[in-house]
Amino acid sequence: MSKLFHDERVCIFCKIVNGEIPSQKVYEDNDLLAFKDIQPKAPVHILIIPKKHIPTVLEAQESDARLLGKMVLVANKIAQDERIAESGFRLVFNCNRDAGQAVFHIHLHLLGGRQLGWPPG
């Protein structure tokens, strides 16, 4: 894989974090940013990203455990705010191209607002 895809200087999500590219933010704190996906796959499709550039979940370190856990807790809060917690929602991390990862900055997909099929993909 080309280093270009792992370079935070050209990472679209890093540019969103830095305010260089606009997004429809739904949550932000010192560690995380959550925004609406521009190509939603469900009525509610929100991406939760760490502000720290980590290309894939394979590259997460033990020191990132708190950050990864916080991503799930923030997704729970957003699901409540978006009124999809009761009906149900899905959380997805994709890792590398065959899994559908298109942006190499880890991100947690929060999907809901409709019946989600299984198995996915």
Side-chain angles (χ1 to χ4, degrees):
M1 180 168 314
S2 166
K3 281 302 240 181
L4 181 65
F5 294 107
H6 291 276
D7 189 340
E8 64 189 276
R9 293 169 297 170
V10 297
C11 173
I12 191 169
F13 286 175
C14 287
K15 290 180 178 187
I16 290 170
V17 166
N18 292 330
E20 298 170 47
I21 296 173
S23 67
Q24 287 185 276
K25 293 179 189 178
V26 296
Y27 178 89
E28 184 173 18
D29 66 20
N30 290 334
D31 301 315
L32 303 175
L33 177 64
F35 53 92
K36 293 182 179 182
D37 194 301
I38 61 170
Q39 295 180 323
K41 305 300 183 224
V44 174
H45 189 171
I46 294 168
L47 303 176
I48 299 112
I49 67 169
K51 291 185 174 180
K52 174 184 177 182
H53 182 81
I54 305 169
T56 73
V57 294
L58 288 171
E59 293 166 86
Q61 303 295 308
E62 192 169 321
S63 59
D64 297 316
R66 184 194 65 78
L67 184 63
L68 297 173
K70 186 175 181 182
M71 291 172 75
V72 172
L73 296 176
V74 166
N76 290 343
K77 178 193 179 319
I78 295 169
Q80 293 284 344
D81 293 347
E82 294 287 325
R83 303 189 191 305
I84 60 170
E86 289 262 335
S87 60
F89 59 94
R90 183 171 292 158
L91 299 177
V92 177
F93 279 107
N94 295 321
C95 185
N96 285 325
R97 291 208 190 283
D98 280 356
Q101 185 175 6
V103 177
F104 286 83
H105 181 126
I106 64 169
H107 49 288
L108 180 60
H109 294 261
L110 167 62
L111 299 141
R114 68 167 171 83
Q115 181 78 39
L116 298 171
W118 193 261

